[in-house]
Amino acid sequence: MSDATTTTAGSTVDYSGLIPNNIDLNSDSRVRKALETWHPGYIDWWKQMGPDGFQSNPVYLRTAIGVDPDGWAKFGYVRMPEYKWGILLAPQVEGRTIPFGAHRGEPAWQEVPGECRALLRRLVVIQGDTEPASVEQQRHLGRTAPSLYDMRNLFQVNVEEGRHLWAMVYLLQKYFGRDGREEAEELLRRRSGDADSPRMLGAFNEATPDWLSFFMFTTFTDRDGKMQLEALAQSGFDPLSRTCRFMLTEEAHHMFVGVTGVGRVVEATCKAMRAGGIDDPTDIERVRALGVIDLPTIQKKVNLHFSLTLDLFGNEISTNAANAFNTSLKGRFREDKLTDDHLLTGATYPVLRLLDGVIVKQDVPALNALNMRLRDDFITDAAGGVQRWNRIIDAAEVPFRLCLPHVAFHRRIGEFASVHADPDGRLLDAAAWQKYRDEYLPSAADGVFIESLMRPVHEPGAFAPWIVPPKTGIDGKPGDFEYVKLHD
Ligand code: BYC
């Protein structure tokens, strides 16, 4: 890769220094030094908490070479510790104005507005914390990859989450002075699942024990990432908007990995059932004997990862969310495409609530319900993936449908955290929940079975029997392409 690449958008990515960037870091020696000081800690963290093994193997990775939507990336073999992590902001939109909240119509801010500094820092830190967390959660999966294609996709996701961390750390170091430096250090100190120093949001402390969980995580949890980034991309604070807009370009591939990954697992199951003459998808033992994951267990994984992800949208009624909107820091999903007053004073929004032990829909002030509005947009978006999986099941004429569980099911944040509900939203007492839990969520035995299938497949073009090959290769490569060179 040459030292500098000029995109058609006119934004130059400078690869000559330690920290690739398109923000002319050389002319800002304070921030450059701060980031160069942070760099060794990042590399130590990557080596310690990044993918376990394979660090010295060449991986066919996509690296951003520009921020122009057309042709922004280049593919080539890279050893992961040499990946060009850096800071890339989408081009500044000339004359951009703030699209919502009290500052609507004013020119977007290029500096942090003093009165909302703490709230803005909190949003940046929470966003930043999720990025290394997911790498930590996925660090053991390379060892059981069902193919070199899938292994490469995992590593692609991982290096890009690393870059997203860089993007947030840049904002902290450039705009938040000493507090920002301290927060940047903390981002490298917390660890997913650690009892003393866990990651900030619940779902990022859960295990990702197997590849089906990885595909569910990238389908659902990365989609929360998409929704939150879309909302932050509307921010009146222009540098945050620009970092998030570019992160969204990379995020799309993560959800592709998830949705096609689950689809390929579903297809392998349906094909094996057809070939084995099994008509009843709930005949779990016979389906498992074919070496594939039965559809009811796939449904349990949907239930688990969807419900964990719903928690990431916060409480049903949130003054934090109202403040972030009022102060023009965090908008709604695609705020600039909405046609209301973008202030929401006096507006209401319907929210499912738990009132006197009953689930009811209640109209509440729209400003306080912004977390739920984003969550509803997420559910609509996620339903598209489930539909895709059901089309595969229908095409195989297997009588089964995957579905998203009710929002009250298996919650730890918000109103439904205090009750138990089944996947259809019927409230259960504690005894009934204990009795049926393993029918709704993956049981220990399900985990043991799935783990028994997680055997690495390293032959180029070969795939574990529980997952079918993808329809097309990455970057148009043929089926037997060596995406990760294991013997270099
Ligand atoms: N776990 O007023 P509330 C991604 C806390 S994913 C633990 O409802 P708010 C990615 C909350 O912090 C996207 N605690 O909260 C995906 C608050 O605490 P304080 C990440 C939680 O602020 C895959 C208190 O409860 N980005 O990018 O309205 C791979 C009151 O709650 C949780 C963002 O989330 C929880 N789940 O909503 C890689 C965007 N939920 O302050 C990456 C930035 C709530 O009272 N974050 N709490 O001590 C936000 O916009 C908001 O902070 C949240 C929470 C939506 C997360």
Side-chain angles (χ1 to χ4, degrees), residues 122-123 126-127 130-131 134 161 200-202 204 217 221-222 224-225 228 232 311-315 318-321 330 371 413:
R122 179 175 167 276
L123 291 173
I126 292 180
Q127 180 62 50
T130 63
E131 314 290 358
S134 65
E161 300 302 7
M200 297 174 84
L201 300 179
F204 291 91
F217 184 100
T221 310
D222 275 85
D224 169 49
Q228 301 288 353
L232 293 172
D311 283 344
L312 294 173
F313 289 87
N315 286 282
S318 167
T319 42
N320 282 339
K330 181 180 174 189
N371 285 345
I413 297 282

Side-chain angles (χ1 to χ4, degrees), residues 153-173:
N153 281 349
L154 167 73
F155 295 156
Q156 182 72 56
V157 168
N158 293 160
V159 292
E160 286 177 353
E161 300 302 7
R163 205 202 62 71
H164 293 181
L165 171 61
W166 272 97
M168 291 300 116
V169 164
Y170 162 68
L171 294 178
L172 289 171
Q173 303 269 22

